[in-house]
Structures are given as C-alpha cells and as structure tokens.
C-alpha cells in the first residue's frame, strides 16, 4: 500500500480475475503485445472449501480449504489508465497459482525471486486484514464457491518481468510456484 502511494484502506480493496487468467506451475506468463511493463506481485492465497455467503469472521476457518502461492501479474500502464484493476490484472496467464494447497500456514514467510534474486520478502503476520476477516468481508459482497481463490495482498518490492525471466513465489522456503515469462503468442 505504501509502495504504490495509496492511502491505508479502512476496508479491503477487492477486484476480480477471470478463470482464463489462471496459469499452472511451470507455465509461461505471457506479456501482452505492445505492453512494456508487466509486474510480478507475490501473493498468499486462500482457497475456499465450501459455498459461503455472509459468514462471520469467527466462522471463516470452516470455509477455508487451505493456502497456496499466487502471482498477481499486472500491467501497470493499464491499471493507471483504467482506474480499476480488472483489465490490468485479468489477461490470460496473469494468475499463476499453486503448486499445491496446504491446509494450515500460520505466520507464513513469503518471498518472490526473480531469476534467483529475492525481490519481495515479508510475512503474513504483517497483513492489514487477517484471512478470516477478509473472507468474511468478501462473503458479504458475493457468494463464494468451492475452489474460489482470495489473495491476501503483496509486500513491497513489486517490479517488472521481461521475456526470458523466471519468477518464483515461495512460501516458507518449501512451497515454490515457478513460472517463466515470454512475449505473448498469437492464437488462432
């Protein structure tokens, strides 16, 4: 929040990524044609266990299947141009996710490595909104279904990726989401 110059929010800021943005581990993040800056953002993500709507934060744990890595890939030019974030974060391949779901990760250490160099490093205890509070908040806006994913935010150190880079989101030095970056490929 501080790095991007945004004011500290009173409530969580939410946005959507379409299912077509999801990318498997080891898949290629594709830079859209004509875009010069595509950024990485290491995210700690919770996966929903069962349908929930308007739940309390006290009941939230029962609705969380587990936690995993997500790279919230973003085109900064589009984010600034649109003012809202759906297009900037919604391109195909812009939600690398996985590689597996861990049922419990308390005070999780989170890093992003770009070509082996640590660019982001934080811990979940520094999150503005704890997982249960965030899940409750989102469930009061929209119904969530099994397999839906909510990311928890990113730390300082976000930055650009270019074709040929390898980017890794790492939780507790054990769970590693690894993807390579390439220029977009024309599809028929």
């Amino acid at each position: 929040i501080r790095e991007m110059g945004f004011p500290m929010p009173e409530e969580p800021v939410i946005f959507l990524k379409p299912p077509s943005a999801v990318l498997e581990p080891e898949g290629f993040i594709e830079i859209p044609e004509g875009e010069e800056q595509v950024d990485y953002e290491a995210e700690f993500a919770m996966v929903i266990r069962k349908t929930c709507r308007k739940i309390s934060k006290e009941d939230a744990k029962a609705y969380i299947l587990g936690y995993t890595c997500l790279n919230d890939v973003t085109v900064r030019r589009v984010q600034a141009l649109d003012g809202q974030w759906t297009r900037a974060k919604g391109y195909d391949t812009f939600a690398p996710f996985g590689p597996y779901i861990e049922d419990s990760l308390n005070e999780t250490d989170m890093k992003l490595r770009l070509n082996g160099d640590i660019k982001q490093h934080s811990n979940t205890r520094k999150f503005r909104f704890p997982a249960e509070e965030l899940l409750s908040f989102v469930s009061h806006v929209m119904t969530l279904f099994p397999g839906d994913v909510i990311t928890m935010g990113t730390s300082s150190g976000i930055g650009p990726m270019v074709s040929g880079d390898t980017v890794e989101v790492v939780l507790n030095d054990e769970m590693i989401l690894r993807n390579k970056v390439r220029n977009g490929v024309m599809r028929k």
Side-chain angles (χ1 to χ4, degrees):
I1 294 169
R2 284 185 216 83
E3 181 180 30
M4 296 302 293
F6 297 136
M8 189 62 70
E10 295 295 317
E11 296 180 334
V13 174
I14 61 176
F15 59 90
L16 298 171
K17 281 187 179 257
S20 59
V22 173
L23 178 65
E24 71 276 1
E26 303 294 337
F28 284 92
I29 298 167
E30 295 185 357
I31 297 173
E33 187 175 348
E35 294 300 341
E36 294 183 15
Q37 184 172 348
V38 175
D39 288 355
Y40 54 77
E41 294 185 28
E43 299 266 356
F44 182 76
M46 75 175 103
V47 181
I48 304 306
R49 174 188 306 277
K50 57 186 178 179
T51 302
C52 58
R53 183 171 184 264
K54 296 186 178 182
I55 62 168
S56 70
K57 63 182 175 182
E58 294 77 22
D59 293 335
K61 281 190 180 186
Y63 293 88
I64 301 171
L65 175 65
Y67 303 91
T68 193
C69 304
L70 190 137
N71 187 348
D72 179 18
V73 180
T74 306
V75 177
R76 290 291 168 223
R77 179 192 69 79
V78 174
Q79 185 178 21
L81 183 68
D82 288 359
Q84 56 82 26
W85 301 352
T86 302
R87 184 168 63 123
K89 294 174 174 284
Y91 287 90
D92 290 353
T93 76
F94 273 28
F97 171 71
Y100 56 87
I101 299 168
E102 185 70 43
D103 63 358
S104 178
L105 289 170
N106 295 320
E107 291 199 11
T108 302
D109 189 65
M110 186 171 67
K111 297 176 187 168
L112 184 130
R113 295 189 296 229
L114 183 67
N115 302 319
D117 295 328
I118 296 173
K119 299 295 185 179
Q120 292 183 277
H121 188 195
S122 191
N123 191 288
T124 57
R125 71 178 172 273
K126 296 180 180 180
F127 284 159
R128 171 74 172 93
F129 300 101
E132 296 83 6
E133 184 178 341
L134 184 56
L135 177 52
S136 175
F137 179 85
V138 174
S139 79
H140 280 80
V141 175
M142 64 189 76
T143 302
L144 296 164
F145 296 98
D148 282 350
V149 177
I150 299 174
T151 62
M152 306 285 297
T154 195
S155 65
S156 62
I158 60 176
M161 306 174 288
V162 297
S163 186
D165 283 346
T166 298
V167 61
E168 298 170 312
V169 178
V170 183
L171 300 182
N172 289 340
D173 289 325
E174 296 171 6
M175 186 185 300
I176 301 172
L177 169 64
R178 181 179 300 110
N179 296 95
K180 292 191 182 285
V181 181
R182 69 180 178 194
N183 290 325
V185 177
M186 292 293 291
R187 300 209 189 331
K188 291 184 179 183

